[in-house]
Amino acid sequence: MQGAASYNVASHPVGLAATDLNGDGKYDIVNIDHNTAIGSILLSNGNGTLREAVNIFGVA
């Protein structure tokens, strides 16, 4: 088992979802921040870890 991991996303999340965003059959994570209107997308590596967040501005 791997140790805990930290991922940089916006600091005031109001929404979180796990879904397959890119059609690879693995759960990816979407986080929406209330204060900054930034959405963070973390794609799965397929081994229990996630790639670095990609931030999208103006989503909330």
Side-chain angles (χ1 to χ4, degrees):
M1 183 172 215
Q2 298 176 358
S6 295
Y7 299 95
N8 290 321
V9 295
S11 60
H12 296 94
V14 293
L16 182 69
T19 189
D20 182 7
L21 294 169
N22 58 357
D24 64 358
K26 297 168 181 66
Y27 283 109
D28 307 305
I29 303 293
V30 179
N31 169 52
I32 304 297
D33 184 276
H34 174 70
N35 290 345
T36 61
I38 295 173
S40 300
I41 298 173
L42 298 98
L43 297 177
S44 173
N45 288 319
N47 63 358
T49 64
L50 300 166
R51 298 179 196 169
E52 186 176 327
V54 174
N55 294 319
I56 300 171
F57 298 89
V59 296

